Structure formats: structure tokens, C-alpha cells
Amino acid sequence: MAHPPSNRIDSASRVIAATPKAIYQAFMDPEALRSWLPPKGMSAYIDVFDPREGGVYKLTLTYETDHSNPGKTSDHTDVSQGRFLELVPDTKIVLAGQFDSEDPAFTGEMIQTWYLEAVLEGTKVTIVCEHVPEGIRKEDHDDGLASTLENLAQFIEI
């Protein structure tokens, strides 16, 4: 039986010393995305990537180190897939995604919006995740979002 959608919203932001255009392009390039998106201790494989409104994606994150919580899809992986809802070049990326999981605590569609806002020091990148599945511990999610933003900064800053 499907759980009703979660009302939880998690978010993180960071100022990155790069232009909104450079950050947007790093998101649209699957090879670049694969290198910076996975949180620390994980690697990514992009199975499907069609970055256009209505386009779909499928991403496999693999835990490279021992971790205390099992993955959502298997002990060592999180597989998520979804679609691009809105793409505003250099400004906003909206994804609707869900995890492949037999555990109902990880099911449901999460909306993830990336806001890119030009600021004096570069770009303020804000990630807002709506309808976060209840099985994802808030502390883990907050750490993962912060790690992804740190990776993006290391990948792109001049």
C-alpha cells in the first residue's frame, strides 16, 4: 500500500565562486554530474539522462565505504529515476524523482528544485527537496545535500 506523500521539506544552500551558467552546464553534462553529484563516500552511474522538460533520468549511487544504514534499493545502492519538470537555463532546475525500493518508507515522488542566483561572490545554489520520503533520515539528507554542494564547489570553482 502506498504511503501518502510526505510533507517534509529539506534544503541546503551554498555560495559557489562560479557563474550560474557554468553551474547549470555542470548539471546538464552527465559526465560532469556523475563526478560531483554523489555525496562523499558514494559514486554515481548515470543509466539514462535526457535533460529537457519531460525528459527522464535514471541514476545509480553506490556506497564505496561501509556505512551504518542500508541503501534504499540494495545494501549498497540507491537507484533513483524520474523526470525533468522544469529547466530555466542558468536559473532553475526542477526534478521529480523516486527511489527504486521495496521499503514503503522510501517510496513516493520527491520534488527537487535547484535555484541558481547570481550574487557578488558567484552563485548562491539552493536545493529544496519537497515530499522527502520518511525513510530518509533528516541528518543523513542534510549531510548529503551539503556534501553535494561542497563537491560542486570543488569541481567548478576557479
Side-chain angles (χ1 to χ4, degrees):
M1 181 169 121
H3 278 208
S6 155
N7 290 323
R8 190 169 114 209
I9 298 174
D10 292 347
S11 66
S13 65
R14 178 182 178 132
V15 174
I16 296 177
T19 65
K21 180 179 182 74
I23 292 170
Y24 187 83
Q25 288 175 336
F27 202 104
M28 294 295 112
D29 175 355
E31 275 307 303
L33 188 67
R34 189 179 70 72
S35 70
W36 64 260
L37 184 69
K40 201 171 300 267
M42 300 186 88
S43 62
Y45 179 79
I46 297 177
D47 305 277
V48 177
F49 193 73
D50 183 11
R52 61 182 173 82
E53 289 187 9
V56 296
Y57 70 88
K58 183 175 181 182
L59 172 73
T60 301
L61 294 174
T62 302
Y63 292 92
E64 296 180 326
T65 57
D66 287 337
H67 57 99
S68 56
N69 298 318
K72 297 166 196 69
T73 306
S74 75
D75 281 350
H76 299 286
T77 62
D78 291 345
V79 177
S80 66
Q81 56 187 327
R83 61 197 188 289
F84 293 89
L85 297 181
E86 185 179 0
L87 294 171
V88 181
D90 313 335
T91 304
K92 183 166 77 168
I93 300 160
V94 184
L95 309 167
Q98 51 196 3
F99 291 103
D100 291 350
S101 181
E102 293 181 14
D103 184 341
F106 293 114
T107 59
E109 186 171 76
M110 180 170 69
I111 305 298
Q112 189 176 81
T113 305
W114 292 67
Y115 296 97
L116 310 177
E117 177 188 354
V119 295
L120 194 59
E121 305 87 354
T123 303
K124 180 179 180 185
V125 180
T126 303
I127 309 168
V128 177
C129 300
E130 301 172 80
H131 311 299
V132 178
E134 59 191 42
I136 300 173
R137 288 185 36 211
K138 179 158 180 47
E139 303 79 27
D140 293 341
H141 202 213
D142 289 347
D143 289 349
L145 293 173
S147 180
T148 292
L149 288 172
E150 182 179 332
N151 294 345
L152 176 58
Q154 289 176 354
F155 175 81
I156 205 159
E157 285 183 340
I158 302 150

